[in-house]
Amino acid sequence: MSFERAKRVNGGDAPSWPATGEGGAPLIARMFEVQDAKELALAVEQPEEEAHLSERPSPMARAGAGSSDQIQETDASEPRMPFIGSVLDYVPGERITIERKLSVDEDLYLADHAFVHAPGIKPTSACLPVVPMTMSLEIMAEAAACLAPGCGLLGFEDVRSVTWIDLADVDELALNIVTQIVRHDAERGVFSISAAIYVESKSSPAITATVLFGDRYLVELSPTFSDLSNARAHSLTADEIYAERHMFHGPSFQCLVGDFVLGDEGIVGELCVRSPEQLFKSTRSPQLLTDPCLLDAVGQIVGLWAMEQERYVFPIGLLKLEIYRPTPPVGTRAPVRVEILQSEGKTLVADVEVQDGEGGVWMRISGWRTWKFRWEKRLVDFRRQPDRHLLATPAPAPRFDGAISLMLSSAELKQFDPALLARYCLSADEMLNYKELERFPQRQRQWLYGRVAAKDAVRLWVAKRQQGEMSHPAAFAISSDERGRPFVTPAPGWGSAPSVSISHCEERAIAVAHEHDIGVDIERIATRDVGVVEAFASAKEREMIGRFPVQERDAWLTRLWCAKEAVGKLLGVGLEGKPLAMEAAEMTGDGQIVLSHKDRNVRARVSTIEGDGFIIAYADLEQSVA
């Protein structure tokens, strides 16, 4: 594709088109409903005390999506601005504050912009649905439009996204959109309207911007785009990018199409205008002032360039965005060019130009800003396809056929927020258990890492047994019985589930899955004083350990302690405060220990393994003592 074609708008020398469509020029934006405008005009004619709408229902609320009743009463085919909810405060020509209640039921696009991929397993609210920055621009533009009747949207300036707007574990969230005219430039014909979105109960805005409205197009941006040096085709097509979830976006936001060409200083590709019919439940014809889904894809194509640098990005704002025409028809393929201006440190900055599919320019963006970060490939793969990839890594294998043992440490997950990790891996009941530990952060992390390692071991065990694909980690649960021993509630279609045992030490967790009951423990090798040793090792055991070289005795004392802990987990009794109730019958130089439990009348075989300063012990029953 070429960006050398003639453009209707080209730098500062381009014409400024009338917003009213004079001379056959297109309108610059889809204006809000005529009925809305009439009702606003009526409100302006009222006395000032009556025009203030905070004490009675707003006439605009009937055209908005302020409540479920309003949604039910609205014809789904009727075009309307979807984010005009209840008016809380209105001074004509000065300011307006609108409350819009987001809901996973009404705002269908949220399901396509959820960070956690668990289709059919978790409800949308449990998957951390996030309002895209570009949808926030649309929200602010619709509120600002109420202060500039008869004008069209020209663009945005100084957009700053401070924090996510998410519906985490809630089905509804109230937003207050506060807008105010800050100046009117008569010479340019521009209204500058400050806008901010406040999430309920928050005192600081989640995002702020200046929204520009006027009666003529502005063409004040004229970015320079370099020829792509070291040009190369991206390794993936748009279809592959979405199919393999290199971008987490669902169908509504899948606007990347075709192939992409990258250079050292930018990327060229195409975006496709998608239908907005499935964005909202209450209307199939939302009257949008922008195209928030295609704008989100601008961030996606910037992300493609960053991905080649093994970096990942999240948009945090822009300096200026200018729109030069209405959204082209659905299905239009719009060429896009991105010029990377800065990529050092934590921030990536780019200029963007999007064409209209007919050789003209649709919009330009100056200073598109993203936060840049890096994840290890294993974390990236798990996040995009948690049903196909593991987080835990193989642990030293026990000498029991068919057992699968995996480990996880905080060092491996330092780039993975524990709360988000929990959302990926835990079922609804497990999430409740996780949240109950909030007052004890270290214990909460240990519990989580143990569950994640166990779930990986279990689903790998099942996949190998069934010779099929792995299950999603949140598709099944690991609970604890009355003795505290973990057990697996199988996912549909499994038939059976393995036994599982979990242990953690410091910031490491280990879990093992096996066909039969099994116990595991992990401990760091350390020197123990005489009193501690005598409390858990009998005279016979101390004599056995004394036969090993002096330099190995700390390790062997740790092996013995681990062995007893593992047997206690195997039996579901722990040590019951009586470690001397178990006694070693055998210890061999290869780390094998046979323990006899006097009270339980059983013998267990334990395999102990040393590595990286730790001892791991695996225990299973050997036989009953007659």
Side-chain angles (χ1 to χ4, degrees):
M1 65 201 68
S2 172
F3 265 71
E4 303 306 319
R5 293 180 291 177
K7 301 176 182 178
R8 290 201 192 99
V9 180
N10 185 12
D13 298 329
S16 178
W17 296 339
T20 58
E22 298 173 6
L27 293 174
I28 66 172
R30 300 173 185 173
M31 302 303 297
F32 51 81
E33 284 299 281
V34 174
Q35 184 61 36
D36 289 347
K38 288 180 179 178
E39 291 175 348
L40 269 179
L42 290 175
V44 171
E45 295 171 359
Q46 295 172 353
E48 183 174 347
E49 64 271 20
E50 295 182 8
H52 192 281
L53 303 179
S54 61
E55 298 179 358
R56 59 186 176 85
S58 165
M60 293 182 60
R62 293 199 293 272
S67 70
S68 59
D69 292 339
Q70 293 158 7
I71 291 171
Q72 293 169 1
E73 293 172 1
T74 303
D75 185 347
S77 64
E78 176 189 351
R80 60 186 180 83
M81 288 198 297
F83 291 110
I84 300 300
S86 302
V87 176
L88 303 181
D89 177 65
Y90 177 46
V91 177
E94 292 186 19
R95 67 178 188 267
I96 191 168
T97 298
I98 291 173
E99 180 187 69
R100 168 60 153 85
K101 290 185 178 179
L102 298 177
S103 75
V104 294
D105 181 57
E106 163 65 12
D107 296 278
L108 305 180
Y109 63 86
L110 288 169
D112 286 342
H113 205 262
F115 283 171
V116 176
H117 185 57
I121 296 171
K122 288 191 154 196
T124 298
S125 60
C127 294
L128 195 58
V130 175
V131 178
M133 182 187 79
T134 56
M135 196 66 77
S136 296
L137 295 183
E138 172 68 26
I139 294 172
M140 291 187 289
E142 291 187 16
C146 301
L147 295 177
C151 294
L153 176 66
L154 305 179
F156 304 86
E157 289 180 339
D158 195 23
V159 176
R160 300 185 183 189
S161 181
V162 180
T163 185
W164 291 342
I165 300 174
D166 62 67
L167 279 76
D169 301 320
V170 295
D171 292 329
E172 192 174 85
L173 183 71
L175 303 181
N176 279 3
I177 307 103
V178 180
T179 61
Q180 181 173 353
I181 295 178
V182 292
R183 65 181 174 276
H184 175 228
D185 187 331
E187 182 177 346
R188 294 163 68 223
V190 177
F191 287 92
S192 296
I193 302 172
S194 67
I197 299 178
Y198 291 81
V199 177
E200 61 182 56
S201 77
K202 302 294 184 181
S203 59
S204 299
I207 184 170
T208 61
T210 298
V211 190
L212 305 178
F213 276 85
D215 58 4
R216 298 178 68 83
Y217 288 115
L218 288 179
V219 187
E220 298 178 342
L221 292 180
S222 54
T224 300
F225 292 95
S226 309
D227 293 333
L228 291 179
S229 59
N230 191 25
R232 62 271 185 195
H234 195 278
S235 59
L236 299 172
T237 65
D239 289 343
E240 292 169 332
I241 287 166
Y242 292 123
E244 298 174 18
R245 286 190 51 80
H246 293 280
M247 295 291 171
F248 69 89
H249 307 75
S252 298
F253 294 94
Q254 292 178 359
C255 296
L256 301 179
V257 288
D259 302 316
F260 306 92
V261 178
L262 299 96
D264 293 342
E265 60 289 293
I267 183 171
V268 174
E270 284 187 314
L271 310 179
C272 183
V273 178
R274 300 297 185 193
S275 170
E277 290 184 351
Q278 301 301 317
L279 297 181
F280 305 93
K281 179 181 179 180
S282 62
T283 177
R284 294 187 295 274
S285 303
Q287 192 176 39
L288 300 173
L289 303 184
T290 66
D291 187 334
C293 296
L294 186 134
L295 271 174
D296 185 86
V298 168
Q300 296 174 38
I301 198 170
V302 171
L304 290 183
W305 187 89
M307 282 168 53
E308 197 186 58
Q309 319 299 315
E310 297 184 346
R311 297 295 187 273
Y312 301 87
V313 295
F314 194 88
I316 57 175
L318 56 90
L319 291 180
K320 188 168 184 176
L321 183 154
E322 285 184 351
I323 301 171
Y324 308 121
R325 61 152 295 163
T327 299
V330 172
T332 298
R333 292 172 72 111
V336 60
R337 170 67 191 268
V338 175
E339 178 90 1
I340 304 299
L341 304 179
Q342 174 189 329
S343 185
E344 294 79 23
K346 295 291 187 181
T347 306
L348 188 151
V349 182
D351 283 349
V352 182
E353 182 174 276
V354 183
Q355 291 189 5
D356 61 5
E358 298 177 356
V361 175
W362 176 3
M363 68 180 80
R364 286 179 179 146
I365 303 171
S366 171
W368 177 280
R369 298 177 64 245
T370 64
W371 177 57
K372 186 175 59 171
F373 47 94
R374 185 173 186 173
W375 286 325
E376 293 182 13
K377 185 178 185 302
R378 181 160 56 96
L379 301 187
V380 172
D381 288 342
F382 176 82
R383 290 177 70 123
R384 66 187 181 87
Q385 294 177 315
D387 53 345
R388 297 187 184 182
H389 298 277
L390 301 172
L391 272 180
T393 56
R399 298 186 178 185
F400 311 142
D401 292 340
I404 291 179
S405 182
L406 300 177
M407 291 184 67
L408 202 59
S409 71
S410 60
E412 298 171 283
L413 298 175
K414 60 184 178 181
Q415 296 168 317
F416 208 147
D417 175 57
L420 186 56
L421 174 62
R423 291 186 181 281
Y424 272 91
C425 297
L426 303 182
S427 68
D429 289 342
E430 290 170 322
M431 281 296 295
L432 294 177
N433 293 333
Y434 173 76
K435 290 178 179 179
E436 287 176 355
L437 296 171
E438 284 180 346
R439 292 186 300 153
F440 313 100
Q442 182 178 11
R443 183 180 171 192
Q444 185 186 48
R445 284 195 307 275
Q446 289 177 334
W447 183 90
L448 174 63
Y449 294 164
R451 281 301 188 273
V452 173
K455 289 196 164 209
D456 278 2
V458 167
R459 60 202 186 104
L460 182 58
W461 186 92
V462 173
K464 287 185 174 182
R465 176 64 63 92
Q466 296 183 341
Q467 297 184 340
E469 297 180 351
M470 286 195 301
S471 298
H472 193 288
F476 64 98
I478 296 179
S479 306
S480 298
D481 63 19
E482 66 278 0
R483 294 181 292 180
R485 184 166 56 178
F487 68 92
V488 179
T489 301
W494 278 10
S496 62
S499 296
V500 65
S501 184
I502 304 170
S503 181
H504 44 71
C505 178
E506 299 172 5
E507 294 294 319
R508 295 189 180 206
I510 186 170
V512 59
H514 191 35
E515 182 178 6
H516 306 295
D517 288 344
I518 194 167
V520 67
D521 192 62
I522 181 171
E523 294 288 343
R524 182 180 287 280
I525 298 172
T527 300
R528 292 165 172 82
D529 62 38
V530 174
V532 172
V533 172
E534 291 178 349
F536 76 84
S538 68
K540 177 183 175 182
E541 291 169 332
R542 297 196 300 273
E543 180 185 352
M544 296 171 70
I545 290 174
R547 299 171 188 168
F548 294 103
V550 173
Q551 63 269 24
E552 296 181 14
R553 289 179 186 173
D554 283 344
W556 268 102
L557 285 169
T558 306
R559 287 179 192 268
L560 179 62
W561 175 261
C562 265
K564 293 189 176 186
E565 286 275 17
V567 172
K569 291 178 181 180
L570 167 67
L571 300 176
V573 296
L575 292 182
E576 298 179 311
K578 299 186 295 182
L580 294 178
M582 298 183 217
E583 189 172 55
E586 299 176 24
M587 292 185 190
T588 60
D590 59 355
Q592 305 304 299
I593 300 176
V594 176
L595 281 174
S596 176
H597 197 297
K598 302 172 184 176
D599 296 342
R600 300 286 169 171
N601 198 33
V602 295
R603 284 166 61 97
R605 56 178 182 170
V606 186
S607 174
T608 66
I609 304 169
E610 179 180 349
D612 197 24
F614 288 83
I615 297 293
I616 298 170
Y618 301 99
D620 73 344
L621 291 178
E622 182 184 60
Q623 64 186 49
S624 296
V625 179

